[in-house]
Amino acid sequence: MVMKHYPPEFKADAVALYRSRPGATIRQVAADLGVNPETLRNWVRAAGANRPRGRRAEIPAEPPTPLEAENAALRKKVRELEEEREILRKAAKYFGRGDALVNRFQFVADHQRRFGVKRLCTILGIARSSFYYWRNTAASRAARQAADAQLAARIRTVHHSSDGTYGVPRITAELREDGERINHKRVARVMQAIGIAGLRLRRKHHTTIADPAAAKASDLIGRDFTATAVNTKYVGDITYLPLTSGKFLYLATVIDLASRRLAGWAIAGHMRAELVTDALAAAERCRGSLTGAVIHTDHGAQYTSRAFANACHRASVIQSMSAVGSSADNALAESFNATCKRETLQGRNAWADDREARLDLFHWLHRYNTRRRHSSLGQRSPIAYETALDTTSTTLSPAA
């Protein structure tokens, strides 16, 4: 089941993943990726990427040279900057809720034991006297929080009675009609704190843009997302990966309908046809051959393009397409995309940057194949299921 030869990109991503997870051992990371621990250890050594395991007690035989002293000062500065970055990264989670100044105070209170009040206040740009005043007025603040909790209970009742449709203006009006003297700003603040909002239409980021002039293939799946043997029927799709900058990465996948195995995938900052052809090429490397297999997709311009048609022809793959505008006709791929983002983002709205998104996806997509259990497979992972079937499939090789 394990490949003997891994692409350089796979090795580099594996080493980067190991370095990005300080709490994980080589054995744990290797298990997630489906590789031999000693193989991963050799890659890490070759890349010179071993993580420090502790401090060595070194007693210099003589005073440090000026260069050594300068290096020590620089290392100290780097540690301070890294600590400052860690503080700001942790603090960012506080700033998206309610009063920004109060959130800064709360952050200092929660982390003062580790970093110290003086350092935290300096980095966050607040006066220590203001923080101490805020901390000393905890009793009155607790009384206000109790009043907010009572208001929150009434807001939930009104919101529930409206089937979750009422927002701030209507809930405020409802409370006032019941005799509550309330300001709409307080209602908005409490609603935000308890995670309640009115019903509103959300703008959807579309990844399926059909080309009316392109040739279409017949639907050979017919919403039957099962297969009696591996490497016979696949589904392909594209989903977007949001970044905090407002930009997107895009993930193209090729999934085996028999074992639910992610046979091929590719990530890029565009939605051109090479995104889906790269994913198909990765699936072909994984399986060795896709001859005679069916790949079912939507009518996106990438899948109706001549480039993808040529790639399918070279791989001897038969194209199948769902009905235009029907997400149910590619429901398995849609479900995979939703699960992937839910389990990688874990409540966040976006990834911090391109590198974080790629590493998170690299880890999760390989873990999906090697360790994540599926109820439809008898609570086994896709590779464990294929092993039980005594197939000859190999470990997934990601697209460049």
Side-chain angles (χ1 to χ4, degrees):
M1 301 301 296
V2 179
M3 294 184 63
K4 294 183 179 179
H5 302 288
Y6 295 85
E9 295 85 358
F10 180 91
K11 296 178 182 179
D13 284 342
V15 172
L17 177 63
Y18 168 72
R19 296 198 67 185
S20 72
R21 301 176 64 200
T25 65
I26 281 185
R27 186 173 298 276
Q28 290 171 336
V29 175
D32 286 351
L33 300 181
V35 302
N36 186 283
E38 287 303 315
T39 300
L40 177 57
R41 194 185 309 279
N42 290 336
W43 294 345
V44 171
R45 289 172 177 168
N50 283 325
R51 297 178 299 200
R53 295 299 181 183
R55 296 181 178 177
R56 296 180 179 179
E58 297 181 356
I59 303 178
E62 55 185 29
T65 65
L67 180 59
E68 290 172 339
E70 182 179 357
N71 287 339
L74 289 174
R75 285 193 295 270
K76 180 181 178 181
K77 183 64 175 177
V78 168
R79 286 195 299 270
E80 290 176 350
L81 291 174
E82 288 177 345
E83 183 181 79
E84 181 175 339
R85 183 178 63 179
E86 180 184 1
I87 290 172
L88 292 174
R89 186 174 67 249
K90 290 178 179 294
K93 298 179 181 179
Y94 286 67
F95 297 161
R97 310 189 299 267
D99 189 306
L101 183 58
V102 171
N103 289 334
R104 284 177 167 83
F105 291 152
Q106 187 63 58
F107 178 80
V108 174
D110 292 345
H111 296 82
Q112 59 182 330
R113 287 182 176 271
R114 178 177 178 185
F115 300 108
V117 172
K118 181 179 180 180
R119 179 151 178 76
L120 290 171
C121 289
T122 300
I123 292 175
L124 298 180
I126 57 178
R128 274 186 287 168
S129 59
S130 298
F131 166 73
Y132 289 126
Y133 173 81
W134 175 85
R135 191 174 66 179
N136 293 336
T137 56
S140 59
R141 189 167 61 253
R144 290 195 300 270
Q145 290 173 347
D148 283 349
Q150 294 177 353
L151 176 60
R154 293 193 290 272
I155 288 175
R156 286 192 178 97
T157 300
V158 174
H159 190 260
H160 179 73
S161 65
S162 71
D163 293 329
T165 61
Y166 278 8
V168 172
R170 288 185 172 87
I171 288 181
T172 303
E174 191 85 9
L175 292 173
R176 286 175 177 171
E177 189 171 298
D178 291 340
E180 184 81 30
R181 297 182 64 181
I182 192 71
N183 184 284
H184 73 279
K185 292 182 180 180
R186 186 182 176 199
V187 172
R189 176 174 58 80
V190 173
M191 286 181 65
Q192 183 180 29
I194 62 178
I196 287 180
L199 182 65
R200 63 180 64 182
L201 295 176
R202 299 185 63 184
R203 182 179 179 183
K204 185 177 180 181
H205 185 78
H206 293 282
T207 55
T208 302
I209 303 175
D211 181 359
K216 308 299 189 297
S218 302
D219 185 352
L220 304 179
I221 297 294
R223 299 188 182 181
D224 177 16
F225 299 108
T226 61
T228 57
V230 299
N231 199 22
T232 58
K233 292 166 68 176
Y234 293 89
V235 291
D237 198 15
I238 301 175
T239 191
Y240 69 95
L241 310 173
L243 305 179
T244 55
S245 64
K247 296 181 180 180
F248 297 93
L249 293 178
Y250 298 92
L251 169 68
T253 54
V254 178
I255 304 171
D256 193 309
L257 290 182
S259 64
R260 300 298 192 266
R261 181 173 182 173
L262 181 61
W265 58 275
I267 297 177
H270 61 79
M271 288 199 300
R272 296 190 294 272
E274 53 259 40
L275 175 66
V276 294
T277 58
D278 285 348
L280 183 65
E284 189 173 18
R285 290 196 300 271
C286 168
R287 293 306 193 186
S289 173
L290 298 176
T291 301
V294 173
I295 182 165
H296 183 75
T297 67
D298 57 30
H299 280 256
Q302 301 85 358
Y303 292 111
T304 58
S305 67
R306 182 175 295 277
F308 186 71
N310 290 340
C312 289
H313 179 74
R314 288 192 298 271
S316 298
V317 171
I318 304 170
Q319 282 188 268
S320 169
M321 292 185 182
S322 59
V324 176
S326 175
S327 60
D329 285 354
N330 205 12
L332 188 143
E334 297 281 352
S335 175
F336 173 90
N337 293 337
T339 299
C340 175
K341 284 189 279 191
R342 182 176 64 250
E343 295 187 5
T344 50
L345 285 171
Q346 296 185 354
R348 296 174 294 164
N349 292 323
W351 283 275
D353 52 35
D354 183 297
R355 182 178 184 274
E356 182 184 67
R358 289 178 183 272
L359 280 178
D360 280 356
L361 267 295
F362 177 77
H363 175 226
W364 189 89
L365 294 174
H366 282 282
R367 184 179 176 85
Y368 170 90
N369 275 342
T370 59
R371 303 187 69 175
R372 190 181 184 280
R373 299 178 185 273
H374 292 250
S375 58
S376 61
L377 303 178
Q379 295 299 341
R380 288 173 290 187
S381 70
I383 287 183
Y385 179 79
E386 290 189 0
T387 300
L389 293 178
D390 195 25
T391 64
T392 58
S393 58
T394 58
T395 301
L396 173 64
S397 298

